[in-house]
Amino acid sequence: MVLCGGTGDVQEATPEVQALVDQVKDDLVASLGQAPATLQATHFKTQVVAGTNYFVRVHIGDDKHVHVRIYKHFSGSVDLHGVKHGDVGGVGAQEELQYFDQNIRK
């Protein structure tokens, strides 16, 4: 059950979600400080706001993952709004994917 403004259930990543990760790749690499071996979306949750927030688990190589927050406006524009765990070089796949606040300002 999704609460109004809450996130949905975790789902396996789709080609659409991978395309969103690909669209914010340059900003994501800049946030991480270096290009990871891979950027492969594995799972995601969504939150409907004035558009959609995507909370995505992204595999970055060596069994490490980061969580990214991507905002897709109703107009179709896409922006990276946050990266979680990049400061520690990623975390394992078992780390729960959950809501986190925007931490990248443009």
Side-chain angles (χ1 to χ4, degrees), residues 36-51:
T38 186
L39 285 172
Q40 183 65 47
T42 62
H43 296 84
F44 75 104
K45 286 183 171 187
T46 59
Q47 175 191 37
V48 177
V49 289

Side-chain angles (χ1 to χ4, degrees), residues 35-92:
T38 186
L39 285 172
Q40 183 65 47
T42 62
H43 296 84
F44 75 104
K45 286 183 171 187
T46 59
Q47 175 191 37
V48 177
V49 289
T52 304
N53 284 321
Y54 289 82
F55 298 92
V56 186
R57 181 181 299 126
V58 179
H59 179 235
I60 59 171
D62 294 329
D63 200 31
K64 295 284 186 174
H65 296 74
V66 293
H67 295 172
V68 298
R69 177 177 172 163
I70 300 170
Y71 174 69
K72 183 176 181 181
H73 189 270
F74 291 129
S75 69
S77 65
V78 175
D79 291 300
L80 179 66
H81 276 195
V83 179
K84 187 176 176 185
H85 307 304
D87 58 333
V88 294
V91 295

